[in-house]
Every structure is written in structure tokens, then in C-alpha cells.
Amino acid sequence: MKNMRRFGVRQRERLLQGLSVPPHMLLMSATPIPRTLALVQFGGMVLSSISSMPPGRSRVATQVVVDAETAREQVYAAIRDELASGGRVYIVCPLVSESSSDALAGVKAASDEYERLVSSRVFDGHGCGLLHGKMKQPEKEAVLAKFNSGETPVLISSTVVEVGIDEPEASVMLVENADRFGLAQLHQLRGRVGR
């Protein structure tokens, strides 16, 4: 079962109906959903862990940066260095566009961040792309093709990149307002780099 979020409890129950002996199941997950964790803790699941990296995979370093101007400039300098060596960069924002809600004041939006970074030329002329879930599929495909080819090595995005995007050259991800995401979501996002 590839994705437990898309293949639910009822579908699994239907598969098991009428069987005198339940089959053995192997469930694998890089980012266990809460239901899986509950089954491991309280149900009849046994947890196995793979502790080694696949061949050719490099370790991914995670850093927390407090949003101060000097720290932000250091992050941008590290991104520019990565771009100079041929890497690709994701910049992920919690919102697609700015919200008028007071609760979301100061939370970065992908479209606004894209405009700001492009107009201020933060990445020394390296092309930037914008990707979010409100775009039509052909638009998304065109943006991803430019990102994959290296034409736009910086992809400013909403969480639409969380699943299904595979760019082996992606080496850095900047997650804006990371406190707005859950742990499983951050783990999924982190999985987009170092592939």
C-alpha cells in the first residue's frame, strides 16, 4: 500500500473481507501519519527501522535560523553559493498569497516572496520560478520543467512541492515560517532535498 493517506481504512477492510486467514502486511512510510503511529503504539503493528542511507544519498543538514536581517542575509549568501555550484533551491512559504487575517500577519506568501526576491535580485540573476496549488496543471508543469532543467534554479512555492516532486539536483530548502507546519509536513518537505 503505497500511500496510507490515499488508501484508507475502509478500502483495506474491504480487501480483508471473507478471508479466513488475514494476510501479512508490510507497511512502509518515510513519514508516518498519526494513524500509523497509533497502530504501532496500541495496535498489532511491529515497528522496523531502516537506519542506513540508500547508496549515493548524502545526509541532509537541518538548521533553524531566527529571522533577523543578518541571519537572513547569511542564508541568502549560502543559497547563492549553492546556486553557483549548480544546485537547485526550494523556498517554501505557508501561504499562496497574502492574507488579511490578523492571525496570519507576518506569515510569508509564495507569490509575494517571489515578487520580492525577483525585484530585489537577491540571487544575482539566477532565475526564480513560482509554483502553487492555485495554478493550472499546464502552468505547474512548465514551471517544474524550467526548474528541472536549471533555467530557474530557485523555486518559490507553497507546500505543493511536499509530495511528488523529484529533482535530484535540489540541495537546499528554505522553509519560511516553519512553525506554521506540522512535523510530518516538515519531514515530507525535507525529503525533497538530498535525493
Side-chain angles (χ1 to χ4, degrees):
M1 290 176 224
K2 183 172 185 273
N3 193 330
M4 287 181 73
R5 289 183 291 185
R6 294 189 182 168
F7 194 74
V9 174
R10 288 190 186 95
Q11 289 89 347
R12 283 192 299 279
E13 285 175 353
R14 267 190 255 131
L15 285 174
L16 298 174
Q17 283 177 349
L19 296 176
S20 58
V21 178
H24 293 282
M25 289 189 337
L26 173 64
L27 303 170
M28 298 177 70
S29 177
T31 54
I33 61 173
R35 181 180 183 280
T36 309
L37 295 173
L39 284 172
V40 168
Q41 186 169 6
F42 303 112
M45 265 183 150
V46 177
L47 177 67
S48 297
S49 196
I50 300 172
S51 58
S52 61
M53 298 285 283
R57 266 276 169 104
S58 57
R59 288 219 170 270
V60 176
T62 302
Q63 296 178 315
V64 177
V65 178
V66 178
D67 191 8
E69 246 351 272
T70 51
R72 180 162 294 279
E73 186 45 47
Q74 290 172 347
V75 169
Y76 289 161
I79 288 173
R80 284 190 292 271
D81 290 345
E82 196 62 36
L83 292 170
S85 67
R88 308 264 198 297
V89 177
Y90 293 105
I91 298 176
V92 181
C93 300
L95 301 175
V96 171
S97 54
E98 191 175 330
S99 172
S100 58
S101 168
D102 289 341
L104 296 174
V107 176
K108 294 202 184 265
S111 54
D112 297 333
E113 194 66 0
Y114 170 79
E115 292 297 328
R116 185 184 73 76
L117 293 171
V118 169
S119 66
S120 62
R121 299 184 52 80
V122 169
F123 300 119
D124 297 333
H126 289 282
C128 295
L130 173 65
L131 182 70
H132 56 75
K134 292 183 178 180
M135 297 169 76
K136 292 186 167 104
Q137 192 59 33
E139 289 175 290
K140 290 180 192 176
E141 289 170 5
V143 169
L144 285 172
K146 287 181 176 181
F147 181 62
N148 291 338
S149 73
E151 185 179 336
T152 55
V154 178
L155 185 61
I156 300 146
S157 174
S158 67
T159 56
V160 73
V161 298
E162 183 181 346
V163 178
I165 307 293
D166 186 21
E167 173 47 57
E169 300 300 319
S171 50
V172 172
M173 176 177 284
L174 170 60
V175 180
E176 297 284 4
N177 303 107
D179 58 318
R180 306 300 288 185
F181 300 104
L183 188 57
Q185 202 170 23
L186 287 170
H187 188 70
Q188 280 283 68
L189 287 168
R190 187 177 186 262
R192 300 300 101 206
V193 296
R195 298 181 73 80

